Amino acid sequence: MTERQTFEHDVLVIGAGGAGLRAAIEASAGGGKVGLVCKSLLGKAHTVMAEGGIAAALANVDARDQWQVHFADTMRGGQYVNHWRMAQIHAQEAPARVRELEAWGAVFDRTKDGRILQRNFGGHRYPRLAHVGDRTGLEMIRTLQDHGIHRGIDVHMECTIVQLFKDGGRVVGALGYDRERGRFRLFRAGAIVIATGGIGRAFEITSNSWEYTGDGQTLAYDAGADLIDMEYVQFHPTGMVWPPSVRGILVTEGVRGEGGVLRNNLGKRFMFDDIPDNYKAQTADNPEEGWRYTQGDKQARRPPELLTRDHVARCIMREVKAGRGSPHGGVFLDIAWIKDKLPHAAEHIKKKLPSMYHQFKELAGIDITAVPMEVGPTTHYVMGGIRVDPDSQMSTVPGLFAAGECAAGLHGANRLGGNSLSDLLVFGQRAGDHAARWAKAHGGGKVDEAEVAAAERAMLLPMDRASSGGENPYAIQHALQKDMQALVGIVRNEADMLAAVEKLQQFRARAAKAAAPGNREYNPGWHTAMDLHCLLTVAEAIARSAASRKESRGGHFREDFPDKSATFGKLTTVVRRGGDGSMQLEHVPVPKVPADLQQIIDENQK
Ligand SMILES: Cc1cc2nc3c(=O)[nH]c(=O)nc-3n(C[C@H](O)[C@H](O)[C@H](O)COP(=O)(O)OP(=O)(O)OC[C@H]3O[C@@H](n4cnc5c(N)ncnc54)[C@H](O)[C@@H]3O)c2cc1C
C-alpha cells in the first residue's frame, strides 16, 4: 500500500463552511489541537454563496421582534415537525452569535442610526435578516476565516474524507485523500464534528456546487448514526432557468424582499390566488399593501410572494403546468417594476442586489433593472440529515457531532430563508464546544490498522477496474440525478418513488463496476467514482423516507396524498444502517412541545 500521512487532533472538524469554521473556532478556544478539513480551498464552501442574510431577532428595524416570534415562525415554517428544543435554542442564541460576528469584524449594512440593518424574508413576521447587500455569506466566511486563522487551527485543504473509524463504539478517526496527488491521509481524533453541508447534487437541477454529494450524512450513516427527516428536501422557488448552462443557479429571495413580484405569461400576480389558511391573517390581499410592507410600513402585511418556499415553488409549478409559464419553463420575477414607485429605482436595485444584477447581466445578458427575470424551482437545501442531541449536537454515535446543513431537526419540513446561516453560527458554536469537552474527557482512541488498510484498498478499486473496462462514473451520476429529479422531485407519488428505490439498487450495482482510468494524481473521474457511494446513500434515504410518509408537508409534496395527516404530523422518519448493511426505516414520535412554548406558538398564530 502506498504511503499515507497521519495527523493527530483533539477535535477534527470535517467541513469548512460556516458551521465547520464556527465549530473549529469554539473547539480551539478551549486550548485543544483542532484540525479542519475541506474538499476545496478554504473559503470556497457553500456558505460563501449565501446571499440574503442571517435571521436573528435583533429587533433593529422592528422593535416588536423577539426570540419568541422567531421561534414561532420557525416552527410554523417547519410545519411543526421541527425539534422544538433546537428551534428554541436557535431563536434565543442567534442574536448573540450575529453580534459576535460583528465584533469579529463583519461589516453589515446599517440602519440610519448605525445598527445592523435587517431585511424582510419569506415566513419571517418582521424584518429579521442581518445582511451585507446580497453577499452575506462572503462576509460571514471572511470574518470566520480571519478569526479562525489566528487560533492556530490546522487546515487541510482539498482533502476528501471517505470513512470514519470507531473504537468500542465511539468515533476516533477518519480517512481521506488529498485531491491533487491522491495520497491518503489518516486523522486520529478524540472527537469529530461533521459540517459537510448538503446533498443538492443528488438532483439534476440544483443551486448547490459540485461538493454537495451528501458526504457527511453518508459518513455518519456508515458509522451507525441515525439520519432523520430525509424526505424533506427544499426546492427553492427561484433558480435561473435560462440559458441551460446556468439552470438552477439561485436567485435570492432578497429580490422578493425588496419588492420583486412573480407573474405568469398573462402578466398576472398569481401568488394572490392561493394563500394558505394559516398564513391568511398575515398576508396582504392586494398589491398596494404588499408593496408598502416591503418598504417598511409596519401596518402592512407581507406580499404573498414572501410565503414559505415550499408553497411558492408549488404555485410556480402549477402555473408552468397550466401553460402559463415563461418561454423557458419558468415564470417571471420582476423587480424592474419598482421604477413606477421609486425615483432612482435602477440605482436602488444595483445597491440592494448587486450580485443578482451582475449574475443576470453576465450569465443571461439581462438587465434586471429594466426587464423581468425568468425563474423556476431549484433543489436548494436538505432539512433532513444527521440526528443530533439538540443541546450538544452529538449524533447517535458517541464522539461524533454534526452541525449546519448536514444536521437535522431545527427546520422540520421546511426551512425559512436566513435560518441556515444562523443555524451554522448557533449550532456550530455548540458542536465545537461540546466536541472539545468530549475529547478532553475521553482522550483519543485506537484506530484499527486493518480497517484502514481495507478502506484504502477499496478506494483504489475504480482504478484497478479501468484496465478491464467498467462503467463510466459520470454516466451513473448523471442518470441518478435525472431519475431523482423526475421521480422524487417537487411533486411525488408512490409509484415513482418505488421505481426510484428500484433504480437506485441498479445504480448501486453499476457503481460497484465504476472505473477510473489514469492514476491517482488530478483524477476527477476517480473522485466521482468514490462520490457515488454517498450520492446513492442519500438518494436512497430520501426516496425511502419520502415513500413512507403518506401525506404532504413542507418540502415533501405528494399528489396521491395532497393533504397533511394528523398521524404523520406526529412522526419523524428515521433511517439507519441495519446489521446486514441494508437501510432500515422507522417512524418515531416528534418530540412534544412543552406547554409554555406551545403557548408562544399559539399566540403567534394570529
Ligand atoms: C446560492 C445559495 C444562497 C444561499 N443563501 C442563503 C441565505 O441568504 N441565508 C441562509 O440562511 N442560507 C442560505 N443558503 C443556504 C446556506 O448557504 C447553506 O445551507 C449553508 O451555507 C451550509 O453551510 P455548512 O457550513 O453547513 O456547509 P457548507 O458551507 O456547505 O460547507 C461544507 C464544507 O464541507 C466540506 N466537505 C464536504 N464534504 C466533505 C468531505 N467528504 N471531506 C471533507 N470536506 C468535505 C466542503 O468542502 C465545505 O468546506 C444559500 C445557499 C445557496 C446555495
Side-chain angles (χ1 to χ4, degrees):
M1 196 54 51
T2 45
E3 82 279 15
R4 118 183 31 122
Q5 276 184 293
T6 301
F7 304 88
E8 307 260 352
H9 299 292
D10 295 312
V11 176
L12 179 73
V13 180
I14 307 172
L21 277 163
R22 189 62 192 83
I25 288 169
E26 200 63 26
S28 72
K33 188 167 155 35
V34 177
L36 181 64
V37 193
C38 50
K39 248 170 149 174
S40 54
L41 295 172
L42 187 62
K44 285 201 74 187
H46 219 168
T47 303
V48 84
M49 297 157 80
E51 295 159 353
I54 313 173
L58 296 159
N60 288 352
V61 172
D62 194 317
R64 292 172 296 182
D65 205 8
Q66 47 184 316
W67 77 260
Q68 289 90 340
V69 188
H70 192 184
F71 164 74
D73 285 351
T74 301
M75 293 296 291
R76 179 167 53 173
Q79 310 220 344
Y80 306 110
V81 289
N82 328 47
H83 195 307
W84 63 267
R85 177 68 181 143
M86 286 183 85
Q88 179 192 25
I89 292 172
H90 168 254
Q92 287 175 331
E93 297 183 3
R97 293 283 81 81
V98 171
R99 288 194 194 98
E100 176 182 73
L101 205 62
E102 185 186 36
W104 291 350
V107 184
F108 288 100
D109 284 5
R110 298 273 144 196
T111 60
K112 287 204 175 72
D113 60 354
R115 292 182 294 165
I116 295 174
L117 183 60
Q118 298 184 272
R119 67 158 46 120
N120 291 310
F121 239 57
H124 292 283
R125 185 159 189 165
Y126 302 119
R128 191 175 282 147
L129 268 66
H131 60 277
V132 185
D134 56 4
R135 294 175 182 147
T136 313
L138 175 63
E139 186 67 0
M140 182 164 162
I141 280 281
R142 186 194 65 74
T143 307
L144 290 173
Q145 253 177 236
D146 280 1
H147 196 76
I149 247 51
H150 297 291
R151 291 210 165 262
I153 296 163
D154 294 332
V155 180
H156 306 271
M157 286 191 250
E158 298 193 277
C159 173
T160 299
I161 300 294
V162 293
Q163 191 169 323
L164 302 179
F165 301 103
K166 296 201 289 191
D167 178 12
R170 60 174 282 223
V171 160
V172 292
L175 179 69
Y177 63 94
D178 86 81
R179 300 181 68 89
E180 284 194 356
R181 313 300 299 267
R183 300 292 177 251
F184 296 134
R185 292 185 182 177
L186 177 66
F187 300 89
R188 299 175 193 275
I192 293 184
V193 179
I194 300 187
T196 50
I199 55 89
R201 287 281 155 175
F203 291 84
E204 189 183 19
I205 302 170
T206 179
S207 64
N208 291 192
S209 87
W210 62 269
E211 291 185 65
Y212 302 103
T213 43
D215 299 10
Q217 293 85 344
T218 305
L219 288 168
Y221 171 86
D222 286 345
D226 288 357
L227 304 182
I228 59 167
D229 292 341
M230 290 299 286
E231 63 272 42
Y232 300 127
V233 176
Q234 181 166 82
F235 299 95
H236 193 290
T238 57
M240 293 179 81
V241 295
W242 190 259
S245 57
V246 299
R247 196 167 178 198
I249 292 181
L250 195 78
V251 180
T252 175
E253 196 164 315
V255 175
R256 285 169 282 144
E258 297 296 340
V261 299
L262 290 166
R263 292 206 179 90
N264 62 21
N265 65 15
L266 306 172
K268 184 173 187 213
R269 274 182 75 178
F270 56 85
M271 287 306 301
F272 280 105
D273 294 349
D274 183 3
I275 300 171
D277 286 343
N278 63 339
Y279 279 98
K280 272 209 168 106
Q282 290 168 23
T283 306
D285 54 16
N286 64 83
E288 188 54 34
E289 184 182 5
W291 166 251
R292 283 193 282 112
Y293 176 91
T294 64
Q295 300 311 296
D297 181 343
K298 296 198 170 77
Q299 306 316 316
R301 295 169 298 174
R302 68 177 150 233
E305 278 87 357
L306 289 179
L307 284 163
T308 53
R309 291 175 173 178
D310 53 329
H311 181 73
V312 181
R314 279 195 297 277
C315 289
I316 292 175
M317 291 295 286
R318 183 194 62 211
E319 294 304 304
V320 174
K321 274 195 173 161
R324 297 189 291 267
S326 64
H328 302 104
V331 293
F332 296 105
L333 172 61
D334 189 4
I335 183 79
W337 82 279
I338 68 171
K339 59 180 174 288
D340 299 345
K341 296 280 185 186
L342 298 177
H344 304 290
E347 281 62 42
H348 179 77
I349 293 167
K350 285 185 207 166
K351 178 162 176 260
K352 285 299 197 181
L353 302 161
S355 300
M356 283 303 104
Y357 174 75
H358 193 72
Q359 182 173 309
F360 273 88
K361 198 88 181 134
E362 294 294 315
L363 302 178
I366 279 178
D367 177 357
I368 66 168
T369 69
V371 292
M373 301 156 245
E374 271 189 77
V375 295
T378 181
T379 314
H380 184 55
Y381 186 87
V382 62
M383 276 68 76
I386 302 164
R387 187 184 198 177
V388 289
D389 172 77
D391 287 84
S392 70
Q393 296 287 289
M394 188 151 87
S395 72
T396 49
V397 171
L400 182 64
F401 298 76
E405 186 168 342
C406 67
L410 168 60
H411 308 291
N414 177 50
R415 174 179 71 87
L416 297 185
N419 269 0
S420 173
L421 293 190
S422 39
D423 171 3
L424 313 182
L425 294 174
V426 168
F427 293 108
Q429 186 269 341
R430 280 180 168 261
D433 178 29
H434 286 274
R437 289 168 197 247
W438 170 277
K440 207 169 196 172
H442 296 85
K446 184 176 172 310
V447 177
D448 184 341
E449 172 57 31
E451 274 186 57
V452 178
E456 288 173 341
R457 275 195 301 278
M459 286 163 74
L460 295 175
L461 285 175
M463 273 173 302
D464 296 346
R465 282 193 287 260
S467 55
S468 52
E471 285 259 7
N472 178 337
Y474 291 106
I476 304 170
Q477 186 195 54
H478 187 60
L480 180 153
Q481 290 165 336
K482 265 186 117 55
D483 280 342
M484 284 300 286
Q485 188 79 34
L487 303 174
V488 202
I490 304 172
V491 177
R492 301 167 171 173
N493 65 55
E494 188 88 5
D496 282 355
M497 289 185 284
L498 295 182
V501 171
E502 180 65 34
K503 285 194 158 202
L504 288 168
Q505 301 310 322
Q506 294 163 15
F507 288 137
R508 213 174 263 288
R510 288 175 63 188
K513 295 186 207 137
N519 58 38
R520 291 164 64 174
E521 302 195 345
Y522 304 98
N523 190 340
W526 178 41
H527 305 165
T528 302
M530 286 189 280
D531 288 346
L532 286 175
H533 170 61
C534 301
L535 282 174
L536 283 161
T537 303
V538 292
E540 185 178 346
I542 292 167
R544 284 192 190 278
S545 301
S548 80
R549 180 167 290 276
K550 300 193 187 317
E551 65 157 355
S552 292
R553 187 175 293 273
H556 170 66
F557 182 79
R558 292 186 61 152
E559 56 192 357
D560 47 353
F561 294 98
D563 300 318
K564 289 196 191 71
S565 133
T567 310
F568 276 101
K570 295 191 180 73
L571 297 175
T572 299
T573 314
V574 182
V575 293
R576 64 177 72 90
R577 197 182 156 99
D580 62 353
S582 67
M583 191 172 281
Q584 310 290 312
L585 187 142
E586 185 190 6
H587 286 125
V588 301
V590 173
K592 187 161 167 39
V593 182
D596 55 334
L597 294 178
Q598 188 59 50
Q599 196 181 338
I600 292 172
I601 292 173
D602 295 342
E603 281 167 5
N604 280 282
Q605 286 280 13
K606 295 160 207 152

